Amino acid sequence: MSTDPEGATPGFLVWRLSMKWRVAVDRAMAPLGLTHAQYSLVASLYGMHRTGTRPSQRQLADHTGLEPLYVSKLARALESAGLVERARDPADPRAMQLSLTAEGREVARRAVVVVQGLLEQLLEPLGGLGGDRTKALTRDLRLLLAAPLEGLTDTSPDSTPPGPQGEPSGRAGSPPQR
């Protein structure tokens, strides 16, 4: 499959880039015993720890964009691995606060260095992390992330779902036309 299909929509390209990134981070994190999703949690906790924040699972879910139930599952796995501590929040006994163990901080520190290298490699065509094109891309990504998407989907029975590149797929159950 081509990495730059002609006529691809921005949504398809964002999806392909996110999949490329996830796979690269998964592979890079494997020697550290982490998945991409686990990395997202430990790296976020590492950054929050450095600012003195001990987030709840819900706050970490909001920060990472992951579903709260998935964050809970990941936190339990990371706790079993000895990288994360979970404790009841004294201000809200229903909430769990998360923090990294000493081992978790060391793994997170090493993981962040590895992912920074991957990020530099990914952004090299745009001039690297400090490049003007990267700064513009970052501004555009922030703008897109802030745009609401709720209520934009049409689930009526006569609506035609888009194909993988955004074009209408035709009749229900038929493959997209190429």
Side-chain angles (χ1 to χ4, degrees):
M1 170 183 250
S2 170
T3 58
D4 186 19
E6 191 170 325
T9 66
F12 180 75
L13 295 173
V14 167
W15 176 74
R16 286 290 307 266
L17 182 60
S18 70
M19 297 310 300
K20 176 181 180 175
W21 180 251
R22 188 191 60 92
V23 168
V25 174
D26 269 339
R27 288 180 181 155
M29 292 298 100
L32 296 173
L34 298 173
T35 65
H36 179 260
Q38 290 172 330
Y39 166 77
S40 296
L41 258 60
V42 298
S44 294
L45 284 170
Y46 185 70
M48 291 171 161
H49 168 79
R50 293 172 56 141
T51 64
T53 305
R54 187 173 182 178
S56 69
Q57 287 181 174
R58 176 56 168 200
Q59 290 168 325
L60 193 57
D62 291 344
H63 177 78
T64 61
L66 296 171
E67 291 294 323
L69 191 59
Y70 190 43
V71 169
S72 177
K73 178 181 173 183
L74 291 169
R76 283 189 174 99
L78 291 166
E79 182 181 40
S80 293
L83 303 179
V84 167
E85 292 176 341
R86 299 168 63 239
R88 292 271 176 220
D89 184 339
D92 181 359
R94 298 168 298 159
M96 295 297 287
Q97 286 184 321
L98 302 175
S99 61
L100 293 171
T101 63
E103 181 183 358
R105 285 190 298 277
E106 178 55 26
V107 168
R109 186 193 60 74
R110 292 183 3 227
V112 166
V113 169
V114 170
V115 172
Q116 274 302 118
L118 275 178
L119 190 56
E120 268 295 342
Q121 187 180 353
L122 177 71
L123 296 173
E124 185 58 36
L126 299 180
L129 272 171
D132 289 339
R133 290 178 65 195
T134 298
K135 290 175 185 173
L137 174 64
T138 302
R139 280 190 305 272
D140 290 345
L141 291 171
R142 284 189 176 122
L143 179 67
L144 293 173
L145 285 169
L149 290 178
E150 292 80 22
L152 294 179
T153 57
D154 181 2
T155 58
S156 62
D158 58 336
S159 66
T160 302
Q165 293 185 16
E167 73 278 357
S169 63
R171 294 183 323 272
S174 65
Q177 302 299 310
R178 300 262 180 234

